[in-house]
Amino acid sequence: MAKNGFSISIEMKTFLFIFFFLFANVKFFAQQTVTGTVTDGGTGEALIGAVVISDNGKVAAACDVNGNYKMNLANGDHVLQVKFVGYSCDSVVVHVQGKPVIQNFSCSNSSMKEVIIVSDVAIDRKTPVAFSNVGELKIQEEGGSRDMTMLLNSTPGAYASEQGGGAGDSRINIRGVDQRNIGVMVDGVPMNDMENGQVYWANWDGLMDATRTIQVQRGLGASRLAISSVGGTINILTKGIDQQQSFTVRTDFGSNNMQKMYFGFNSGEFHNGWGVTLAGSRRTGNGYADQTWDDEYAYFFKVQKRMGAHLFTWSVNGAPQMHAQRYDKLSAAVYDKKYAQSLGINVDSVYASNAYTTSTQQDRGLRYNPNWGNFTYRDGQHGILSQDINFYHKPLFNFSYFWTPNEKFTLSAVSYVSIGNGGGTNFNQTPTRDTLTGQLNLTSVYNTNSSTIDALYSSTEHKSTRYLQAGMNNHKWAGTLVTATWAPTSDLTVLLGVDARYYNGIHYGKVYDLVGGDYYGEANPTDANQPRGTFLGDPNFQYYKKQVGSKVGYYNESFVNWLGGFTQAEYSKKNWSAFLTCSASQTHYQRLDHFKKQDIVLDDGTVVPMIVGYNEVYYTNGTQSGVAQNGATVTTSGDTTFINNPGNNDYTIVNAKSYSWNGDHARTARTEKKTYPGFTIKGGANYNLDEHYNIFFNTGYMQLAPRFNTVFDNNNRLYPNIKNQEITAFEMGFGARFGKFAANLNGYYTYWKNKAPQNSPTLTTPDGKFTYDLNGLNTLLKGVELDFNYQPIEHLQLEGLLSIGDWKYFSRGTVYLYDANYVLVDTINYSAMNIHMGDAAQTQVGAALRWEPLKGFYIKPRFTYFSRYYSNFDPILLSEVKDFAGTVVSDYRDRESWKMPAYGLFDINAGYEIKENVDKEKNRYVKVGFNIGVTNLLDSKYISDSMNGSGFNADTALVYFGPGRRWNAGMRFVF
């Protein structure tokens, strides 16, 4: 019995153990994991900190930095909701039974709805274009002290460079297209310069601090405006009242004495509908290259008011800044001898024939900047002066109104004003260079200017021969954008809009620094309307003395008026979405020149252009005409006028009528208004194959008006043979979305006809400077792009990209050379067939890892590799050159450019954040964060920019080296 009892006892214990084990874990086995992602329905951004709750709060899970959540739920049906300030999400019922469940949420808010309407924001798995989002978290973790553009190297097809290294001097290419042909918008307002399409990132230094997301659309993109978006569109969306209330204080410091202080405040939306967002910062530093210091302020202020169906927004932002630049590109041998030798450069030849170093001094180092110098004052004090200083302030004032009376109709109106003032400096005559240091010999300049007395101008003041002249590029810019959106059915949305802009650019040279002197004596004034003296003691000679602030060299204005209209239809039903966009615009150009001779408008309205200068009179009888020059003797006898000019250029005119240079019939010299039409038609479709896969296609045709700076020359004359640019584009893409993995693959084909030159087309030869036409330049841009994001485990995320481009010129023809009077003087046959374009790397590979081993602590290494990078060049150099006897001297037709060495950059960022939930109902936290980042951790030597020389090789190329290792660290407090 005992043995049997013992046996029964064991069996009973075993049974009870198994019973209790199964009972205790039946709930575990009856549970399944529910995961998903919570995103902004407009931008696709992760909603960090959003809370997913089940069954009115029985189970809750917060979203991580990628918007992912995870919770365990028992088998059965459950109601899931998302709670996040300013957002609304539809509740869903999930059925849990036997396997894991994936449930994603796409949330919306009314503020973002208006932003999407204005800013042409693409939506994942709906808008059929290739795009990438750079969210607020990535900006915070990787932005550091760099320009905003450098963040975009982590998007496919992008190449950003800091060029000479000055703060804000960066540039960006997308798919081989420079930023003049990339549409840049801030909250729907176009930012590209109205004259040349450029974007000057120094003017927006503080904008990154107020940015909620940057969306990069590649190709023609989803923009409805007739903007120059050949390469893509960069949409910058700023923070607003739809976000949580917070106050942020941050301090950053880093390499080269970089220091930055920042504060920001976002009120969120108060109960009465008001909200305020504001930010301010101050940054200073010495720069990586020698004497590329910067001193920058930035401010951002936005006020919003919601009144039922109405939303009003007022904002202003700007960044008054001043920074020194490294302007000159040099031979690689000047920077680094060993590196140059590895490229096959004959360094001895370079050292023997350049102005920046000698065979004795040899290389100057990667930080070498030739654009500054030391000088010693007469009292023995020392000073440093940079030759190239950029200074600018461009506040942007913005007023927006949105009206959403019902779910089917929305009206938006955005009006903006931008007033820019500033420019860049350079010496009017290049100073000599100290052969020992390689710097400008400014002591000689200072000593000469501070000791020269020229009695022709003054017996007491000192005359400057060399001085710093500032090229001023002020502007007044205003515009309005009105969009009406109507959804007659749940599947169809129709948009109509008007885009109107006015731009007035004011350009002139002015005396910036006299470098020891009291005035500059302008011996040959370029202002034809300036009072002139010809002999010593002439009372008007005072006008030849130019003080600091005086206009010198040139003074002209540009006027650009733009009127455009657009319409778009969007269709979305079940798995299909499609759009068709049409836009048209008229661009009006006119140029004024205050320094050229005055126009005369005759009684019958006939304009005689640029005919009279200071103290000159135009005489005409309708058939004969002549000008009485300054100092001429004019006599009349009966009905006959006799004009005796100082240069013996005499006239005799019967029944002449006179028109004085300062009379009612005189006006500032100006061109006639020229009008150029442009239009765009594009469309595309997206099909969601299932909940994981989608495919899309888009195509478009665009005609762009020529740029202002390629329409008129500096003498108010129209360039010959002006043509519109024509762009034809096709693109296909494939997307995959899973709980832990997302990827995009797309291919593109863009044919760009009549690509405009970057600047006014001129060619300097031994016989002089000539204007030429180069409207027939054609390019073909094609390639494939891949990007993916994978999260194998909860706190580990991997992202990667691959971009392979094939960007080439396919153009040959005849260039016609014209003299100053636009008389044809010569022709040049050029050929750039199947030649790679320069200025951007055509292969890009990148990968990044974000690991959070401890709660609040992350580490993020990133590697980016660029190759197949060709030196930039002027296609007109690809020609056959003959001497006067007709013998071929050189033949560079179809000559490939120098291919620069490939390079890779390894960056690393890390940070730690401590946060405490102080308001669980509103999900508000107090946060203290620390971060540190190192760019180019391995201190790699690489060439970031290059311009081809006459030899199409490394020997003659002029380059910028990219910056070496730099670090930055910061601390922030958010509550």
Side-chain angles (χ1 to χ4, degrees):
M1 289 293 296
K3 182 177 180 180
N4 187 43
F6 178 77
S7 175
I8 293 173
S9 177
I10 293 296
E11 290 174 358
M12 183 61 70
K13 290 180 180 178
T14 302
F15 172 79
L16 291 174
F17 175 79
I18 294 173
F19 175 82
F20 282 111
F21 176 82
L22 291 174
F23 181 82
N25 287 279
V26 68
K27 187 176 180 180
F28 172 79
F29 286 113
Q31 283 188 322
Q32 295 297 331
T33 302
V34 178
T35 60
T37 304
V38 182
T39 58
D40 185 311
T43 67
E45 285 184 72
L47 294 186
I48 305 168
V51 177
V52 181
I53 64 174
S54 168
D55 306 315
N56 293 320
K58 290 183 179 179
V59 180
C63 293
D64 63 15
V65 295
N66 301 306
N68 297 325
Y69 73 93
K70 180 180 179 181
M71 60 173 55
N72 294 319
L73 295 178
N75 287 335
D77 292 334
H78 301 272
V79 178
L80 299 187
Q81 295 175 292
V82 175
K83 299 294 185 181
F84 195 66
V85 175
Y87 283 80
S88 62
C89 286
D90 293 333
S91 301
V92 298
V93 177
V94 296
H95 181 69
V96 179
Q97 188 65 51
K99 62 179 181 178
V101 176
I102 297 175
Q103 178 61 56
N104 297 325
F105 290 90
S106 180
C107 302
S108 63
N109 66 76
S110 55
S111 294
M112 276 306 300
K113 180 179 178 181
E114 285 93 4
V115 171
I116 291 168
I117 290 171
V118 173
S119 302
D120 303 320
V121 175
I123 301 174
D124 189 38
R125 289 172 56 87
K126 181 178 180 181
T127 309
V129 299
F131 68 93
S132 301
N133 286 321
V134 178
E136 188 175 351
L137 180 68
K138 185 172 183 177
I139 294 171
Q140 175 183 300
E141 292 182 349
E142 298 186 49
S145 59
R146 301 179 296 170
D147 290 350
M148 179 186 296
T149 49
M150 303 309 296
L151 277 175
L152 304 185
N153 271 335
S154 61
T155 61
Y159 181 79
S161 161
E162 295 179 85
Q163 300 196 96
D169 289 341
S170 65
R171 63 175 180 87
I172 185 169
N173 285 49
I174 298 178
R175 290 184 175 176
V177 179
D178 67 71
Q179 60 192 22
R180 296 178 306 119
N181 293 286
I182 297 170
V184 178
M185 296 192 294
V186 176
D187 289 338
V189 176
M191 292 290 100
N192 298 77
D193 188 277
M194 292 287 287
E195 292 181 78
N196 56 29
Q198 269 292 6
V199 180
Y200 304 98
W201 297 100
N203 300 336
W204 310 108
D205 175 69
L207 186 61
M208 190 160 61
D209 295 318
T211 295
R212 64 182 299 163
T213 188
I214 306 169
Q215 186 175 88
V216 181
Q217 298 176 15
R218 301 184 292 280
L220 298 186
S223 175
R224 296 177 288 271
L225 305 183
I227 58 177
S228 182
S229 56
V230 182
T233 305
I234 299 175
N235 289 302
I236 302 169
L237 306 181
T238 60
K239 300 173 183 177
I241 64 174
D242 54 295
Q243 296 185 306
Q244 288 183 309
Q245 185 179 97
S246 65
F247 183 81
T248 304
V249 178
R250 192 180 76 237
T251 180
D252 296 281
F253 55 95
S255 299
N256 311 304
N257 202 31
M258 187 281 295
Q259 300 179 62
K260 182 175 181 178
M261 290 293 297
Y262 164 83
F263 77 92
F265 172 72
N266 193 316
S267 69
E269 184 173 351
F270 298 127
H271 295 298
N272 58 5
W274 284 96
V276 176
T277 304
L278 57 90
S281 66
R282 167 85 187 283
R283 169 186 149 154
T284 60
N286 295 335
Y288 176 79
D290 295 336
Q291 291 300 316
T292 51
W293 51 265
D294 66 287
D295 190 353
E296 307 173 10
Y297 293 84
Y299 56 88
F300 177 88
F301 181 67
K302 178 188 285 187
V303 178
Q304 293 180 284
K305 168 65 175 176
R306 191 185 305 281
M307 299 175 59
H310 307 274
L311 176 66
F312 301 87
T313 301
W314 300 266
S315 67
V316 58
N317 68 84
Q321 59 84 29
M322 178 178 290
H323 72 276
Q325 300 173 296
R326 177 165 60 174
Y327 189 81
D328 293 348
K329 291 187 178 78
L330 307 176
S331 169
V334 176
Y335 296 109
D336 190 287
K337 179 179 179 179
K338 289 184 178 180
Y339 189 94
Q341 288 175 328
S342 71
L343 301 177
I345 295 176
N346 185 339
V347 295
D348 293 331
S349 176
V350 173
Y351 296 151
S353 60
N354 80 98
Y356 302 96
T357 190
T358 67
S359 298
T360 301
Q361 302 298 326
Q362 299 191 2
D363 58 1
R364 299 289 189 182
L366 298 185
R367 294 177 181 261
Y368 174 58
N369 174 12
N371 302 129
W372 65 277
N374 293 288
F375 62 94
T376 304
Y377 296 96
R378 281 175 292 183
D379 60 4
Q381 297 296 314
H382 298 284
I384 295 175
L385 183 64
S386 295
Q387 171 182 270
D388 298 286
I389 301 171
N390 180 273
F391 55 99
Y392 216 85
H393 183 203
K394 181 182 179 178
L396 174 65
F397 302 89
N398 195 326
F399 170 74
S400 303
Y401 167 71
F402 301 97
W403 178 43
T404 310
N406 53 58
E407 293 183 354
K408 292 188 174 183
F409 182 79
T410 299
L411 178 69
S412 69
V414 179
S415 297
Y416 55 92
V417 174
S418 173
I419 302 173
N421 289 279
T425 68
N426 205 338
F427 273 99
N428 65 321
Q429 300 177 43
T430 304
T432 59
R433 193 170 295 279
D434 188 303
T435 57
L436 180 63
T437 64
Q439 304 307 141
L440 298 174
N441 191 351
L442 298 186
T443 296
S444 174
V445 173
Y446 176 83
N447 290 340
T448 300
N449 290 346
S450 62
S451 60
T452 299
I453 297 291
D454 189 338
L456 189 66
Y457 300 93
S458 172
S459 60
T460 58
E461 295 178 300
H462 299 97
K463 174 185 173 183
S464 291
T465 302
R466 289 182 173 88
Y467 68 96
L468 272 186
Q469 176 177 310
M472 301 297 293
N473 291 293
N474 302 338
H475 72 244
K476 302 172 184 177
W477 187 353
T480 188
L481 177 63
V482 180
T483 305
T485 306
W486 177 48
T489 70
S490 60
D491 305 326
L492 179 65
T493 303
V494 179
L495 297 93
L496 292 172
V498 176
D499 174 20
R501 309 177 211 171
Y502 166 84
Y503 178 93
N504 173 211
I506 305 101
H507 315 292
Y508 57 90
K510 78 170 185 179
V511 178
Y512 182 82
D513 191 323
L514 289 165
V515 194
D518 299 309
Y519 67 92
Y520 167 62
E522 192 176 34
N524 298 297
T526 53
D527 182 2
N529 305 298
Q530 174 182 305
R532 294 170 180 254
T534 56
F535 302 102
L536 182 65
D538 190 305
N540 291 323
F541 217 77
Q542 60 182 309
Y543 293 101
Y544 286 59
K545 293 172 58 179
K546 303 299 181 182
Q547 313 290 341
V548 170
S550 297
K551 292 182 175 66
V552 291
Y554 62 96
Y555 178 21
N556 58 74
E557 295 186 61
S558 60
F559 291 89
V560 182
N561 293 314
W562 170 293
L563 180 62
F566 56 87
T567 181
Q568 178 170 294
E570 297 178 353
Y571 178 79
S572 179
K573 187 171 185 179
K574 295 184 178 179
N575 293 340
W576 281 98
S577 59
F579 80 95
L580 177 66
T581 298
C582 298
S583 65
S585 63
Q586 290 276 3
T587 307
H588 305 271
Y589 292 142
Q590 187 175 33
R591 185 180 190 275
L592 272 66
D593 201 317
H594 296 274
F595 275 13
K596 294 295 187 290
K597 291 187 175 184
Q598 304 267 28
D599 295 343
I600 292 295
V601 183
L602 303 180
D603 294 335
D604 62 359
T606 302
V607 177
V608 184
M610 297 185 294
I611 192 65
V612 290
Y614 169 71
N615 203 28
E616 294 184 339
V617 181
Y618 177 69
Y619 291 87
T620 184
N621 60 11
T623 303
Q624 297 173 298
S625 61
V627 175
Q629 300 170 358
N630 181 26
T633 301
V634 180
T635 58
T636 59
S637 177
D639 59 359
T640 303
T641 300
F642 300 92
I643 304 172
N644 296 309
N645 283 313
N648 297 321
N649 189 16
D650 301 333
Y651 301 93
T652 300
I653 305 175
V654 179
N655 293 324
K657 182 171 182 179
S658 63
Y659 299 87
S660 174
W661 74 287
N662 58 358
D664 294 337
H665 291 266
R667 71 177 191 186
T668 301
R670 67 195 64 185
T671 66
E672 296 301 317
K673 292 182 179 179
K674 296 296 297 182
T675 301
Y676 297 93
F679 70 91
T680 301
I681 181 168
K682 57 186 177 182
N686 177 84
Y687 179 65
N688 295 329
L689 301 171
D690 54 29
E691 63 179 316
H692 300 297
Y693 302 107
N694 71 290
I695 57 174
F696 73 83
F697 167 79
N698 69 65
T699 184
Y701 177 77
M702 179 187 297
Q703 278 209 13
L704 298 175
R707 299 290 189 190
F708 179 92
N709 62 335
T710 60
V711 172
F712 301 114
D713 73 0
N714 291 331
N715 292 307
N716 274 7
R717 286 174 297 201
L718 192 69
Y719 281 115
N721 304 322
I722 300 171
K723 298 179 182 178
N724 272 15
Q725 302 178 73
E726 301 177 37
I727 298 95
T728 304
F730 304 90
E731 183 174 23
M732 293 187 68
F734 170 78
R737 300 290 185 274
F738 294 90
K740 295 183 177 181
F741 178 79
N744 302 288
L745 175 66
N746 55 279
Y748 60 91
Y749 178 100
T750 303
Y751 182 64
W752 189 357
K753 186 178 180 182
N754 299 331
K755 180 178 180 291
Q758 184 165 346
N759 298 301
S760 301
T762 57
L763 178 67
T764 301
T765 73
D767 300 317
K769 190 173 186 179
F770 298 95
T771 298
Y772 68 88
D773 65 332
L774 193 59
N775 288 292
L777 200 58
N778 305 325
T779 64
L780 180 61
L781 312 166
K782 55 186 178 179
V784 293
E785 298 164 342
L786 169 69
D787 65 280
F788 68 87
N789 192 300
Y790 177 51
Q791 187 173 9
I793 58 177
E794 185 174 357
H795 298 295
L796 183 66
Q797 180 179 348
L798 175 67
E799 64 179 77
L801 67 91
L802 170 66
S803 174
I804 301 176
D806 186 22
W807 312 324
K808 293 181 178 179
Y809 289 105
F810 282 90
S811 189
R812 65 162 55 104
T814 301
V815 173
Y816 298 91
L817 295 181
Y818 300 86
D819 65 13
N821 297 313
Y822 283 146
V823 175
L824 181 64
V825 296
D826 199 0
T827 60
I828 295 177
N829 294 320
Y830 78 96
S831 182
M833 294 296 297
N834 204 33
I835 301 302
H836 286 93
M837 296 174 63
D839 214 30
Q842 302 203 21
T843 295
Q844 173 196 19
V845 181
L849 186 71
R850 189 185 190 279
W851 181 37
E852 195 170 340
L854 302 173
K855 184 178 180 180
F857 173 74
Y858 72 90
I859 184 168
K860 192 171 188 178
R862 178 180 295 279
F863 180 76
T864 311
Y865 176 81
F866 296 107
S867 67
R868 297 175 56 244
Y869 183 11
Y870 294 86
S871 188
N872 204 7
F873 65 99
D874 185 345
I876 196 176
L877 297 177
L878 304 182
S879 59
E880 181 184 71
V881 179
K882 299 179 179 179
D883 61 18
F884 291 108
T887 303
V888 175
V889 177
S890 61
D891 189 353
Y892 292 136
R893 289 175 296 181
D894 300 330
R895 180 75 175 266
E896 187 70 275
S897 285
W898 174 54
K899 184 166 66 173
M900 291 175 277
Y903 69 92
L905 297 177
F906 184 70
D907 305 331
I908 190 166
N909 291 278
Y912 180 60
E913 184 175 76
I914 306 169
K915 61 181 182 180
E916 180 70 26
N917 193 330
V918 295
D919 189 336
K920 293 184 179 180
E921 181 179 344
K922 295 183 179 180
N923 197 33
R924 289 186 58 194
Y925 290 85
V926 172
K927 306 175 185 177
V928 178
F930 306 87
N931 65 277
I932 185 168
V934 183
T935 58
N936 193 3
L937 178 67
L938 304 180
D939 203 23
S940 300
K941 292 180 183 178
Y942 65 99
I943 293 174
S944 63
D945 302 82
S946 175
M947 189 70 190
N948 247 358
S950 57
F952 293 81
N953 54 27
D955 276 292
T956 56
L958 302 178
V959 307
Y960 287 137
F961 273 83
R965 184 189 300 114
R966 291 174 297 172
W967 64 272
N968 66 274
M971 181 178 71
R972 66 186 179 279
F973 178 60
V974 184
F975 63 92

